[in-house]
Amino acid sequence: MKLSSYLSPDLIVTNLGGNNMEELISNFIETVSKRDKNIFKEKKDLVKEIILEREREASTYVGYGIAVPHGRINHFDDLVIGIGILKNPLPVLFQGKEEKLNLIILVAGDLLKSKSILKIMSGISSLALKHKEALDKILKSKNPEEIIEIFREHNIEIDHDIIAEDLINSSLVPARDNNTLEDIARRLISENISGLPVVDGYNNFLGEITERELIAFGMPKYTSILDDLSFLTVGEPFENYLTKENITPIKDLYRTENIVTLDREAPIMEIAYIFMSKKVTRIYVVDKGKYSGVILRSDIIKKILHI
């Protein structure tokens, strides 16, 4: 079923006020509840409590100026989807950078509605990434019917099976094969990650560069064939790295073997099986040789098991 089928003018607030996410969520729920007392089926306070608790665990901001606060409520048979357009953009910190929150998509559903919630988040992110003009129209509109029509035109499906596209992280900027070791080390530290996909100038996927390759470059070559390194002096390792980090490109260092890639249509069961059987921590999504994004093993926990 399409997301637009769940939308109602009563569930769209075009001038939502609040100084933080907690106020935005509370004000939204109070506003729509006054319009229709049956929206949350006498569970308004419980819905609010569960959604706020989920927000306190981890931000539901997904980028592009959008947050998807959500909650799964036991014995809540309906799926409620509401839209709040902020009166004043709210500053948020996302992946180390400050962005502006402009829109919330609030979702309340049963405990078993994880799939629908994830599909909504995926569809909204895809809309913002591929159809920015539609998002701009939604933010500027004061007419709930017009907003529903914009969503209807873009056919966001929320009941299909979960595929790689729903889990993908497209915000991770890949490394280029001409980046230096210093460039990569700086990014691994500042972005708190352990590895990066590598692409060429045409976004063709080439491989990955990780902490392991950087450390290996700094070690003497012969250490890879030794069992006992106790005789080495303390200062010897990493001299090669420290003297060449700012001039050595990763072109000949990034890894091309033992990397798992899938296309956007790969089903969730295949993804989970690969994580379990191959013991990898990341899967790269590649379509026709072009890099699309990455799925981390932790995404299975964050986006499915504990959404």
Side-chain angles (χ1 to χ4, degrees), residues 212-243:
R212 180 172 180 171
E213 284 73 56
L214 267 63
I215 293 172
F217 181 81
M219 294 293 287
K221 300 301 180 185
Y222 55 80
T223 58
S224 62
I225 60 172
L226 297 177
D227 294 323
D228 182 6
L229 303 183
S230 60
F231 67 91
L232 291 177
T233 60
V234 174
E236 187 176 9
F238 308 117
E239 289 181 6
N240 188 46
Y241 181 97
L242 295 172
T243 58

Coordinates of all heavy atoms in Angstrom, one line a residue, residues 212-243:
R212 N 42.9 -1.5 8.7 CA 43.9 -2.5 8.6 C 45.0 -2.2 7.5 O 46.2 -2.4 7.7 CB 43.2 -3.8 8.2 CG 44.2 -5.0 8.0 CD 43.5 -6.3 7.8 NE 44.4 -7.4 7.6 CZ 44.0 -8.7 7.5 NH1 42.8 -9.0 7.7 NH2 44.9 -9.6 7.4
E213 N 44.5 -1.6 6.4 CA 45.5 -1.3 5.3 C 46.4 -0.1 5.8 O 47.6 -0.1 5.4 CB 44.7 -0.8 4.0 CG 44.1 -2.0 3.2 CD 42.9 -2.6 3.9 OE1 42.0 -1.8 4.2 OE2 42.9 -3.8 4.2
L214 N 45.9 0.8 6.5 CA 46.7 1.9 7.0 C 47.8 1.4 8.0 O 49.0 1.8 7.9 CB 45.9 3.0 7.7 CG 45.4 4.1 6.8 CD1 44.5 3.6 5.7 CD2 44.7 5.2 7.6
I215 N 47.4 0.5 8.9 CA 48.4 -0.1 9.8 C 49.4 -0.9 9.1 O 50.6 -0.9 9.4 CB 47.6 -0.9 10.9 CG1 46.7 0.0 11.8 CG2 48.6 -1.7 11.8 CD1 45.8 -0.7 12.7
A216 N 48.9 -1.7 8.1 CA 49.8 -2.6 7.4 C 50.9 -1.8 6.7 O 52.1 -2.2 6.6 CB 49.0 -3.5 6.4
F217 N 50.5 -0.6 6.1 CA 51.5 0.2 5.4 C 52.6 0.7 6.3 O 53.7 0.8 5.9 CB 50.8 1.4 4.8 CG 51.7 2.3 4.0 CD1 52.0 2.0 2.7 CD2 52.2 3.4 4.5 CE1 52.8 2.8 1.9 CE2 53.0 4.3 3.8 CZ 53.4 3.9 2.5
G218 N 52.2 0.9 7.6 CA 53.2 1.4 8.5 C 54.2 0.3 9.1 O 55.2 0.7 9.7
M219 N 53.8 -0.9 8.9 CA 54.7 -2.0 9.5 C 55.7 -2.5 8.5 O 55.5 -2.4 7.2 CB 53.8 -3.2 9.8 CG 52.8 -2.9 11.0 SD 53.6 -2.6 12.5 CE 54.1 -4.3 12.9
P220 N 56.9 -2.9 8.9 CA 57.9 -3.4 8.0 C 57.3 -4.6 7.3 O 56.6 -5.4 7.8 CB 59.0 -3.8 9.0 CG 58.8 -3.0 10.2 CD 57.4 -2.8 10.3
K221 N 57.7 -4.8 6.0 CA 57.1 -5.8 5.2 C 57.3 -7.2 5.7 O 56.5 -8.1 5.6 CB 57.6 -5.7 3.7 CG 57.4 -4.4 3.0 CD 55.9 -4.1 2.9 CE 55.6 -2.7 2.2 NZ 54.2 -2.4 2.2
Y222 N 58.5 -7.4 6.3 CA 58.8 -8.8 6.7 C 58.0 -9.3 7.9 O 58.0 -10.4 8.3 CB 60.3 -8.9 7.1 CG 60.8 -7.9 8.1 CD1 60.6 -8.1 9.5 CD2 61.5 -6.8 7.7 CE1 61.1 -7.2 10.4 CE2 61.9 -5.9 8.7 CZ 61.7 -6.1 10.0 OH 62.2 -5.2 10.9
T223 N 57.3 -8.3 8.6 CA 56.6 -8.7 9.8 C 55.4 -9.7 9.5 O 54.9 -10.4 10.3 CB 56.0 -7.5 10.6 OG1 55.2 -6.8 9.7 CG2 57.2 -6.7 11.1
S224 N 55.0 -9.6 8.2 CA 53.8 -10.5 7.9 C 54.2 -12.0 7.8 O 53.3 -12.8 7.8 CB 53.3 -10.0 6.5 OG 54.3 -10.2 5.5
I225 N 55.4 -12.3 7.8 CA 55.8 -13.7 7.7 C 56.4 -14.2 9.0 O 56.9 -15.3 9.1 CB 56.8 -14.0 6.5 CG1 58.1 -13.1 6.7 CG2 56.1 -13.6 5.2 CD1 59.1 -13.5 5.7
L226 N 56.4 -13.4 10.0 CA 57.1 -13.8 11.3 C 56.0 -14.1 12.4 O 54.9 -13.6 12.4 CB 57.9 -12.6 11.9 CG 59.1 -12.1 11.0 CD1 59.8 -10.9 11.6 CD2 60.1 -13.3 10.8
D227 N 56.4 -15.0 13.2 CA 55.5 -15.5 14.3 C 55.8 -14.7 15.6 O 55.0 -14.6 16.5 CB 55.6 -17.0 14.6 CG 55.1 -17.8 13.4 OD1 54.1 -17.3 12.8 OD2 55.7 -18.8 13.1
D228 N 57.1 -14.3 15.8 CA 57.5 -13.7 17.0 C 58.2 -12.3 16.7 O 59.2 -12.3 16.0 CB 58.5 -14.6 17.7 CG 59.0 -14.0 19.0 OD1 58.4 -12.9 19.4 OD2 59.9 -14.6 19.7
L229 N 57.6 -11.2 17.1 CA 58.2 -9.9 16.8 C 58.8 -9.3 18.1 O 59.1 -8.1 18.1 CB 57.0 -9.0 16.4 CG 56.2 -9.4 15.2 CD1 55.2 -8.4 14.8 CD2 57.1 -9.7 14.0
S230 N 59.1 -10.1 19.1 CA 59.7 -9.6 20.3 C 61.0 -8.9 20.1 O 61.4 -8.1 20.9 CB 59.8 -10.7 21.4 OG 60.6 -11.7 20.9
F231 N 61.7 -9.3 19.1 CA 63.1 -8.7 18.9 C 63.0 -7.3 18.3 O 64.0 -6.6 18.3 CB 63.9 -9.6 18.0 CG 63.4 -9.7 16.6 CD1 63.9 -8.8 15.6 CD2 62.5 -10.6 16.2 CE1 63.5 -8.8 14.3 CE2 62.0 -10.6 14.9 CZ 62.5 -9.8 13.9
L232 N 61.9 -6.9 17.8 CA 61.8 -5.6 17.1 C 62.0 -4.5 18.1 O 61.5 -4.6 19.3 CB 60.5 -5.4 16.4 CG 60.3 -6.3 15.2 CD1 58.9 -6.1 14.6 CD2 61.3 -6.0 14.1
T233 N 62.6 -3.4 17.7 CA 62.7 -2.2 18.6 C 61.4 -1.5 18.6 O 60.6 -1.6 17.6 CB 63.8 -1.3 18.0 OG1 63.5 -0.8 16.7 CG2 65.1 -2.0 18.0
V234 N 61.1 -0.8 19.7 CA 59.9 -0.1 19.8 C 59.6 1.0 18.8 O 58.5 1.1 18.3 CB 59.8 0.5 21.3 CG1 58.5 1.4 21.4 CG2 59.9 -0.5 22.3
G235 N 60.6 1.7 18.4 CA 60.4 2.8 17.5 C 60.3 2.5 16.0 O 60.1 3.3 15.2
E236 N 60.6 1.2 15.7 CA 60.7 0.9 14.2 C 59.4 1.0 13.5 O 59.3 1.5 12.4 CB 61.3 -0.5 14.1 CG 61.6 -0.8 12.6 CD 62.3 -2.2 12.4 OE1 62.4 -2.9 13.4 OE2 62.7 -2.5 11.3
P237 N 58.3 0.4 14.0 CA 57.0 0.4 13.3 C 56.5 1.8 13.0 O 56.8 2.8 13.7 CB 56.0 -0.3 14.2 CG 56.9 -1.1 15.1 CD 58.1 -0.3 15.3
F238 N 55.9 2.0 11.8 CA 55.2 3.2 11.4 C 56.1 4.4 11.0 O 55.6 5.4 10.6 CB 54.2 3.7 12.5 CG 53.3 2.6 13.0 CD1 53.4 2.2 14.3 CD2 52.4 2.0 12.1 CE1 52.5 1.2 14.8 CE2 51.6 1.0 12.6 CZ 51.6 0.6 13.9
E239 N 57.4 4.2 10.9 CA 58.3 5.2 10.4 C 57.9 5.5 9.0 O 57.9 6.6 8.5 CB 59.7 4.8 10.6 CG 60.2 4.9 12.1 CD 61.7 4.5 12.2 OE1 62.3 4.4 11.1 OE2 62.1 4.4 13.3
N240 N 57.7 4.4 8.2 CA 57.4 4.5 6.8 C 56.1 5.3 6.6 O 56.0 6.2 5.7 CB 57.3 3.1 6.2 CG 57.1 3.2 4.7 OD1 57.8 3.9 4.0 ND2 56.1 2.4 4.1
Y241 N 55.1 5.0 7.4 CA 53.8 5.7 7.4 C 54.0 7.2 7.7 O 53.5 8.0 6.9 CB 52.8 5.0 8.3 CG 51.5 5.7 8.3 CD1 50.4 5.1 7.5 CD2 51.2 6.8 9.0 CE1 49.2 5.7 7.4 CE2 49.9 7.4 8.9 CZ 48.9 6.9 8.2 OH 47.7 7.5 8.1
L242 N 54.6 7.5 8.8 CA 54.7 8.8 9.3 C 55.4 9.8 8.3 O 55.2 11.0 8.3 CB 55.3 8.9 10.7 CG 54.5 8.2 11.7 CD1 55.3 8.1 13.0 CD2 53.2 8.9 12.0
T243 N 56.4 9.2 7.6 CA 57.2 10.0 6.6 C 56.5 10.2 5.3 O 56.9 11.0 4.5 CB 58.6 9.5 6.5 OG1 58.5 8.1 6.0 CG2 59.3 9.5 7.8

